[in-house]
């Protein structure tokens, strides 16, 4: 499974400001994923509804986990260098959108 395939399914479900891959397991000797953790940053949304939609519509053959933040939450969390969001920002790979 390629990360671009997962991103395409995410973009079909919503219009995020950013999508960041922050945890992945890769098949040895290839670029295929065995599992992925993705952080999605949205301007405004019903988080519960969107999470349900993502888990139902992003139907792939590998385990995928989502973290969902509003843009305001993300900005606030980035101010704390010890937050999980800060770690994702520093170590993650931006798949969609721009760095702040």
């Amino acid at each position: 499974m390629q990360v671009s395939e997962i991103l395409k399914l995410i973009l079909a479900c919503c219009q995020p400001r950013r999508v960041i891959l922050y945890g992945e397991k890769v098949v040895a000797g290839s670029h295929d994923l065995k599992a992925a953790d993705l952080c999605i940053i949205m301007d405004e949304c019903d988080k519960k509804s969107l999470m349900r939609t993502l888990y139902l519509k992003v139907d792939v053959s590998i385990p995928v986990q989502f973290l969902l933040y509003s843009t305001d939450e993300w900005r606030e969390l980035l101010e704390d260098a010890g937050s999980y969001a800060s770690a994702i920002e520093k170590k993650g790979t931006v798949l969609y959108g721009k760095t702040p």
Side-chain angles (χ1 to χ4, degrees):
M1 168 75 36
Q2 295 284 328
V3 71
S4 60
E5 296 172 48
I6 297 170
L7 180 60
K8 184 177 177 180
L9 292 170
I10 292 169
L11 295 176
C13 292
C14 61
Q15 297 176 346
R17 178 169 290 274
R18 296 175 73 206
V19 177
I20 304 169
L21 177 68
Y22 67 92
E24 71 271 8
K25 293 181 183 173
V26 180
V27 175
S30 78
H31 295 294
D32 288 342
L33 293 176
K34 290 195 299 186
D37 297 330
L38 296 150
C39 177
I40 299 173
I41 303 156
M42 299 284 298
D43 284 332
E44 296 278 334
C45 70
D46 176 349
K47 283 186 177 185
K48 187 175 181 179
S49 176
L50 180 54
M51 286 294 270
R52 184 177 24 248
T53 299
L54 287 167
Y55 279 109
L56 290 172
K57 301 284 184 176
V58 181
D59 186 20
V60 293
S61 60
I62 64 167
V64 177
Q65 181 173 320
F66 300 105
L67 276 179
L68 185 59
Y69 292 102
S70 72
T71 304
D72 291 339
E73 288 173 322
W74 186 253
R75 285 185 185 134
E76 185 177 322
L77 288 168
L78 288 182
E79 292 176 11
D80 178 1
S83 72
Y84 196 48
S86 288
I88 291 170
E89 184 70 34
K90 290 174 191 165
K91 296 180 181 180
T93 301
V94 177
L95 302 177
Y96 180 81
K98 298 177 182 169
T99 55

